Structures are given as structure tokens and as C-alpha cells.
């Protein structure tokens, strides 16, 4: 799956690109701040545009422009977690999730958006109504800080006075809470969600 990300916030944009790049099926073609910067990527009709963190007023013209410029490109919207903005899918989008969606939820939405863009709607656009926010325990945060610094399981165990199996258990819980499958993915997602 080839993705291009539109998000005005540079740190959010790069964190989202990093975490999605950790999925083996995903290739992030680009991450841009302005709709016009999407143009070079829109020639790839198999690309999926991820539009993140825009207000409702900004979202409608951007999606309309995308539909005009590249009608075959699937569009996935990541909305802020506010009540008024998560009750409906913006017109022209194939899926709409909360900004705090896990990488697995985003990738699943992308797959659904590709199917819908290629085959037409089956059950209608995906709307994620339930917010997800990772809640790591203090010990899991300590483990993740050391993972972020590149420590091995043995080094983490030595520094935190844990067994290696306890470290693996903490990491397994972290992966589940963050919706990732690797250490790199966990670090990228923890940064994106602000838990590191």
C-alpha cells in the first residue's frame, strides 16, 4: 500500500509517517503540509491520501480538491477527537478515524478505503467512533524510554532490576496497547501519541 500524508503540523506529520512505515505492507511516498504539495504523488492511482487533523471547515475544500485532481485515489481522514467532528464521514472520503487511532486501525481503514475506491461502497465508509488512547503503566513507560534509547532486553532488565522475561512481557503489553508489532513501531507510535 502506498500512502501520502497531508498534515500541517510537522511533528505530527513525521510521527505518522514513521509509525505507518513500520508496517511491512506500507510505503509512505511523502508527507506534506499543503494540498498543492500532493500533486506529484497523485499520478500514482494506487496511492491513498491520508488527510490528518484538519478542522471541518478546512477539510471539505481539501477533499473536494483531491476528488477533482485524483478521482481514483482513496482518501482516509484522521480527525481530532472531538464530539462534533466524529459523527459523520466528510463527503468524498472513504474512511474516517480519530486522530488517536492505532497504526493497525489506520492500516485496516486504508485497506477498506482501497477496496471501496476500487469496487464501490459495500457497507459505506468506515467511521471509527471509539477513541483510543494508550495508557501505559509507569513501568511500561520506563521500558519504552530505554527501548527508545536502543537498549536490548538484557540491558533493560539490568537497568530496571527485572528478568528478561518480565521485560518481554511488558513489551508485549505495550505492543498490544499501541496497536503495533515491533519495537520501532512502538517507539514511533508512543511518540505520536505523546506517551514518550
Amino acid at each position: 500500500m502506498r500512502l501520502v500524508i497531508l498534515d500541517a503540523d510537522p511533528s505530527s506529520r513525521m510521527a505518522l509517517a514513521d509509525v505507518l512505515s513500520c508496517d511491512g505492507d506500507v510505503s509512505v511516498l511523502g508527507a506534506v503540509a499543503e494540498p498543492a504539495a500532493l500533486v506529484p504523488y497523485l499520478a500514482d492511482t494506487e496511492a491513498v491520501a491520508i488527510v490528518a487533523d484538519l478542522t471541518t471547515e478546512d477539510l471539505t475544500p481539501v477533499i473536494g480538491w483531491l476528488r477533482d485532481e485524483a478521482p481514483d485515489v482513496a482518501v482516509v481522514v484522521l480527525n481530532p477527537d472531538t464530539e462534533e467532528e466524529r459523527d459523520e464521514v466528510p463527503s468524498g472520503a472513504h474512511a474516517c478515524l480519530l486522530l488517536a487511532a492505532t497504526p493497525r486501525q489506520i492500516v485496516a481503514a486504508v485497506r477498506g478505503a482501497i477496496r471501496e475506491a476500487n469496487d464501490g461502497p459495500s457497507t459505506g465508509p468506515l467511521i471509527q467512533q471509539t477513541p483510543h488512547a494508550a495508557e501505559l503503566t509507569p513501568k511500561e513507560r520506563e521500558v519504552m524510554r530505554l527501548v527508545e534509547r536502543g537498549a536490548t532486553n538484557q540491558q533493560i532488565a539490568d537497568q530496571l532490576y527485572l528478568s528478561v522475561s518480565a521485560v518481554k512481557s511488558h513489551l508485549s503489553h505495550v505492543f498490544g496497547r499501541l496497536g503495533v508489532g515491533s519495537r520501532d513501531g512502538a517507539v514511533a507510535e508512543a511518540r505520536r501519541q505523546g506517551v514518550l
Side-chain angles (χ1 to χ4, degrees):
M1 295 181 294
R2 299 193 284 278
L3 310 183
V4 58
I5 297 166
L6 171 64
D7 187 339
D9 180 77
S11 59
S12 172
R13 183 170 69 241
M14 295 321 296
L16 186 57
D18 286 347
V19 76
L20 292 175
S21 295
C22 291
D23 187 295
D25 292 338
V26 170
S27 173
V28 177
L29 302 176
V32 300
E34 298 291 333
L38 290 172
V39 171
Y41 304 105
L42 297 180
D44 185 341
T45 57
E46 293 183 18
V48 176
I50 296 185
V51 180
D53 203 14
L54 293 183
T55 65
T56 302
E57 302 79 41
D58 294 334
L59 199 52
T60 302
V62 167
I63 293 177
W65 177 83
L66 274 168
R67 297 272 50 90
D68 290 342
E69 290 289 318
D72 296 329
V73 171
V75 178
V76 175
V77 172
L78 299 182
N79 265 350
D81 180 15
T82 60
E83 291 298 325
E84 66 273 9
E85 291 184 301
R86 61 181 171 142
D87 290 336
E88 59 185 51
V89 175
S91 177
H94 297 94
C96 182
L97 292 89
L98 298 175
L99 196 57
T102 67
R104 287 182 181 154
Q105 290 168 327
I106 296 170
V107 169
V110 167
R111 285 194 177 100
I114 291 169
R115 277 193 305 274
E116 184 170 318
N118 291 337
D119 305 330
S122 50
T123 59
L126 168 69
I127 309 175
Q128 179 205 13
Q129 295 283 347
T130 307
H132 176 283
E135 302 233 357
L136 303 185
T137 67
K139 189 60 74 179
E140 288 166 351
R141 286 176 188 267
E142 286 182 81
V143 168
M144 282 308 301
R145 283 188 198 99
L146 292 171
V147 168
E148 183 181 31
R149 293 181 197 141
T152 65
N153 287 352
Q154 184 63 61
Q155 290 168 333
I156 294 168
D158 293 344
Q159 287 192 22
L160 299 181
Y161 304 103
L162 298 170
S163 66
V164 172
S165 62
V167 171
K168 289 179 181 177
S169 177
H170 284 305
L171 286 173
S172 175
H173 291 146
V174 168
F175 289 3
R177 289 193 177 105
L178 294 176
V180 298
S182 69
R183 292 165 78 98
D184 288 344
V187 169
E189 180 61 6
R191 286 178 182 153
R192 185 176 81 92
Q193 291 197 24
V195 296
L196 263 186

